[in-house]
Amino acid sequence: MSGQNSSRNFDFLVIGSGIAGLSHALKVAARGTVAVITKKHKAESNTNYAQGGIAAVTSREDSFDLHVRDTLEAGAGLCHEPTVRTIVQEGPERIRELIELGMQFSERQIPDQPEGKEYDLGKEGGHTKRRILHAKDVTGKEIEKALLQAIADNPNIEVFEDHYAIDLITTAKLGLPGENRVVGSYVLDKNEKKVVTFTGRVTLLATGGCGKVYLYTTNPDIASGDGIAMAWRAGCRIANMEFIQFHPTCLYHPQAKSFLISEAVRGEGGILKIPGDGEFMQKYHPLKSLAPRDVVARAIDSEMKRTGSSFVHLDITHKPARFVMNRFPNIYQTCLSYGIDITKECIPVVPAAHYQCGGVQTNDRGETSLPGLYAIGEVTCTGLHGANRLASNSLLEALVCAHRAAEHILSTPLPEPHLDIPDWQTGRAHDPDELVVITHNWDEIRRTMWDYVGIVRTTKRLQRARKRIENLLDEIDEYYWDFTISSDLIELRNLAIVAKLIIESALMRRESRGLHYNADYPDPDPDLAQVNTVLVKGTPPGQEPVVIQ
Ligand code: FAD
Ligand code: SIN
């Protein structure tokens, strides 16, 4: 570690530059200075890869009640209904704001009206109406573009790329008396190789999900669960981590890393098939290939095990080639680059870890259980998704909660800043001599989670996983304090903690519900509907009724 440590002070510290962090930063910038900390290039985020779009009620054939009903149905009894209603109802207004910032959603011509245009609404699993606003199949990229342009135009916001938040700074950790609160974060500046103390009168976690904890995922490398692990270490309530969503259709190709085939392909008529054997989803759900995600992912897993095949097929060849190429240009081109012409041949697909439904527990204003700390987006558990997220509801949740949190913060007196914070202590740390420890442990965590804590779980497999992850945690902890901090080490430690939180939560839920399927408890337990799994560091794990106000 070279150079001096240093300190940067802002009114608002935002960790993460996906849809949640950027849209919140734009709002709070009305009241003060904002630092946006982000691990890599500012656009690199799960948001940037979102394909399907944003679910919101914008058509006369749709209604808030229907969107709420579909969300509750997918959530398998565990959603917090008032939160669902609030987010669904406030969606259209937030979408209008996004459009005002320059976001362009795909439109289509209204039949029989040569001059008339309307939004081209997509459909995905579990939605009973067409309600997904999208920009062809690159919705997330276009959202990031629009938000980052607005950020660049805002003199109150400074973006710090290649900066890795290491840990939250709390008054308790500083040994200060009074109520424990978050006052900032220690952040590794990767290029300068130094740890900077960032302070904020309010800190926002918008660090996204943890797909990288699994061997196969649709998520980019940034998704290592850092926010969850930091919040856990700081003492926040972490809820419902057992509910990991596996997307049914990730491209299966030896050279393709994490490429999603959007559910919108099935929304436009794509059919899942066993290679050489035809359709199979009719055996599992009346909605067939467009059944909710948990059902489809489990069905594919089961058919792959039954037939011994390493993948299933997604067939959209019956649609006109021009339609497919125009509606899904990114998917068409990417598959073509791997030698698959999706207008003429089936796409080989497999399920992969996609979305974390649990996370840092917040209310619908983004407040966590720790004063001074807000959280928004995939890092949170607001109660919207319950036991299984309805497709395209996450971008919506991030937009609405970013606004609600900002509104709440702007209407409350800001606490005085804490500026007198000691520098990050490197202690006895020296440069690592064996980087293989990091790569080996990284691989072992991801394989253990895939093999033992995947789509179908058993108590025995979960216990095996717990033993292995606990050993790894001990080893990583020792390594962490001995060697100089690096981005790989930060992520490895966080991945191991998140793996442990998922396993503990999964062991506690002795039933099958939504995304959590344990073959030893194959049915839902009616007594556990509306019961969250809550973990807080240093206290015995507990399950408790939904208490998000
Ligand atoms: P992200 O967009 O993931 O942003 C997290 C940010 O935090 C990044 O900038 C990252 O660099 C930063 N960060 C993380 N850790 C640190 C740290 N330690 N220090 C500093 N910065 C850090 N949802 C939908 O609703 N519709 C879709 O169509 C859709 N399609 C998807 C397709 C794919 C391939 C994937 C992976 C997800 C998709 N999702 C979709 C889910 C959705 O994209 C995400 O849930 C959502 O974008 C999360 O937004 P976020 O702002 O919370 O986090
Ligand atoms: C997709 O396009 O299939 C992803 C949608 C989502 O995860 O919400």
Side-chain angles (χ1 to χ4, degrees):
M1 187 84 29
S2 67
Q4 287 292 302
N5 291 348
S6 56
S7 172
R8 299 293 310 264
N9 307 309
F10 293 83
D11 293 312
F12 303 102
L13 173 59
V14 172
I15 308 176
S17 61
I19 187 171
L22 296 180
S23 42
H24 181 78
L26 282 170
K27 302 229 161 180
V28 288
R31 173 90 174 267
T33 55
V34 187
V36 176
I37 306 295
T38 188
K39 281 209 281 203
K40 292 182 187 252
H41 178 268
K42 56 194 168 200
E44 188 60 8
S45 55
N46 274 8
T47 303
N48 206 40
Y49 297 90
Q51 295 185 355
I54 309 187
V57 175
T58 59
S59 138
R60 262 184 305 227
E61 274 137 54
D62 199 0
S63 71
F64 291 142
D65 282 343
L66 284 175
H67 191 177
V68 167
R69 197 189 67 189
D70 292 348
T71 303
L72 297 176
E73 175 76 22
L78 197 60
C79 300
H80 184 244
E81 190 166 343
T83 300
V84 174
R85 200 159 281 284
T86 300
I87 291 176
V88 163
Q89 286 178 351
E90 295 188 11
E93 185 53 33
R94 302 289 78 81
I95 301 272
R96 262 191 291 281
E97 287 174 0
L98 199 56
I99 293 168
E100 275 164 25
L101 283 184
M103 175 68 197
Q104 289 180 343
F105 289 108
S106 295
E107 294 178 325
R108 62 174 203 138
Q109 200 165 331
I110 304 174
D112 304 327
Q113 287 184 33
E115 302 299 313
K117 289 239 163 136
E118 63 185 3
Y119 286 117
D120 177 36
L121 300 175
K123 195 153 188 265
E124 292 177 49
H127 288 275
T128 53
K129 292 283 170 195
R130 283 192 170 265
R131 64 167 72 96
I132 322 278
L133 290 138
H134 62 95
K136 301 225 175 209
D137 57 354
V138 286
T139 311
K141 198 169 173 191
E142 294 301 315
I143 291 176
E144 281 287 304
K145 217 196 298 171
L147 290 172
L148 283 169
Q149 184 56 56
I151 293 269
D153 294 341
N154 193 313
N156 264 2
I157 305 176
E158 207 174 327
V159 180
F160 295 85
E161 294 180 311
D162 299 315
H163 277 60
Y164 286 63
I166 305 170
D167 255 323
L168 296 168
I169 305 171
T170 59
T171 51
K173 275 194 211 153
L174 296 175
L176 298 172
E179 178 192 58
N180 187 25
R181 57 181 302 114
V182 173
V183 293
S185 174
Y186 289 117
V187 177
L188 173 69
D189 174 344
K190 196 173 174 186
N191 299 328
E192 295 295 321
K193 293 194 171 58
K194 66 178 184 181
V195 177
V196 184
T197 306
F198 276 83
T199 68
R201 297 163 81 178
V202 177
T203 298
L204 175 81
L205 271 183
T207 45
C210 67
K212 294 302 284 189
V213 81
Y214 285 93
L215 191 57
Y216 302 110
T217 176
T218 63
N219 291 191
D221 290 347
I222 56 99
S224 50
D226 298 358
I228 307 264
M230 284 192 280
W232 161 257
R233 288 192 293 269
C236 281
R237 291 162 65 91
I238 310 290
N240 293 352
M241 286 299 290
E242 64 273 37
F243 298 109
I244 298 291
Q245 186 168 67
F246 291 81
H247 196 293
T249 58
C250 187
L251 178 62
Y252 177 83
H253 189 278
Q255 268 110 47
K257 187 186 168 202
S258 319
F259 186 69
L260 181 77
I261 308 296
S262 175
E263 198 154 297
V265 173
R266 279 174 283 137
E268 297 299 346
I271 298 168
L272 289 163
K273 295 180 172 172
I274 301 289
D277 195 21
E279 255 185 89
F280 61 91
M281 275 308 298
Q282 70 283 358
K283 289 195 281 178
Y284 294 91
H285 199 278
L287 289 172
K288 300 184 191 168
S289 293
L290 259 193
R293 249 174 223 184
D294 55 333
V295 177
V296 183
R298 266 198 304 279
I300 294 177
D301 185 67
S302 161
E303 291 295 320
M304 279 167 52
K305 283 186 176 129
R306 186 181 67 78
T307 61
S309 173
S310 310
F311 55 85
V312 295
H313 273 151
L314 177 58
D315 187 359
I316 186 84
T317 56
H318 48 284
K319 296 294 261 190
R322 268 176 63 153
F323 166 79
V324 173
M325 286 151 75
N326 180 48
R327 175 65 180 84
F328 303 111
N330 179 37
I331 294 174
Y332 172 74
Q333 282 302 338
T334 306
C335 288
L336 204 57
S337 73
Y338 293 116
I340 305 161
D341 181 344
I342 68 170
T343 65
K344 297 198 176 85
E345 53 198 315
C346 292
I347 314 168
V349 291
V350 282
H354 181 62
Y355 185 85
Q356 150 205 304
C357 291
V360 181
Q361 200 175 35
T362 68
N363 58 19
D364 58 18
R365 295 189 299 269
E367 288 177 289
T368 70
S369 55
L370 260 188
L373 183 69
Y374 285 69
I376 302 170
E378 190 168 339
V379 72
T380 64
C381 178
T382 61
L384 173 70
H385 308 308
N388 178 31
R389 175 181 66 105
L390 183 68
S392 288
N393 261 358
S394 41
L395 296 173
L396 173 74
E397 179 189 49
L399 267 187
V400 171
C401 293
H403 172 83
R404 292 179 66 78
E407 230 180 19
H408 181 64
I409 290 167
L410 298 183
S411 64
T412 319
L414 287 180
E416 286 306 309
H418 264 282
L419 303 179
D420 189 19
I421 294 176
D423 280 348
W424 171 261
Q425 297 300 313
T426 45
R428 59 193 153 102
H430 51 279
D431 286 339
D433 49 0
E434 285 200 336
L435 289 174
V436 68
V437 175
I438 294 187
T439 50
H440 175 87
N441 286 348
W442 179 278
D443 290 346
E444 197 173 333
I445 293 169
R446 298 184 68 204
R447 185 163 285 286
T448 302
M449 293 300 285
W450 185 258
D451 289 343
Y452 295 150
V453 198
I455 297 172
V456 174
R457 301 161 179 178
T458 65
T459 304
K460 207 165 173 186
R461 285 187 210 151
L462 291 173
Q463 284 165 343
R464 281 201 182 118
R466 176 199 260 166
K467 238 191 235 165
R468 280 166 173 73
I469 297 294
E470 276 174 355
N471 281 343
L472 289 171
L473 267 169
D474 285 346
E475 201 172 292
I476 292 165
D477 201 50
E478 199 178 297
Y479 193 92
Y480 186 83
W481 297 111
D482 278 352
F483 295 108
T484 314
I485 195 89
S486 67
S487 54
D488 288 344
L489 191 49
I490 292 170
E491 291 184 337
L492 174 67
R493 181 185 184 221
N494 291 336
L495 271 188
I497 288 173
V498 169
K500 168 95 172 126
L501 294 173
I502 296 171
I503 295 165
E504 290 306 332
S505 306
L507 276 165
M508 275 167 63
R509 188 166 287 279
R510 295 198 182 93
E511 63 161 353
S512 289
R513 179 177 300 281
L515 298 161
H516 171 69
Y517 186 84
N518 183 335
D520 295 321
Y521 306 97
D523 300 311
D525 175 348
D527 291 342
L528 290 179
Q530 289 287 295
V531 173
N532 288 316
T533 309
V534 179
L535 302 171
V536 182
K537 192 169 181 230
T539 61
Q543 280 184 328
E544 47 187 275
V546 176
V547 281
I548 312 169
Q549 57 291 61

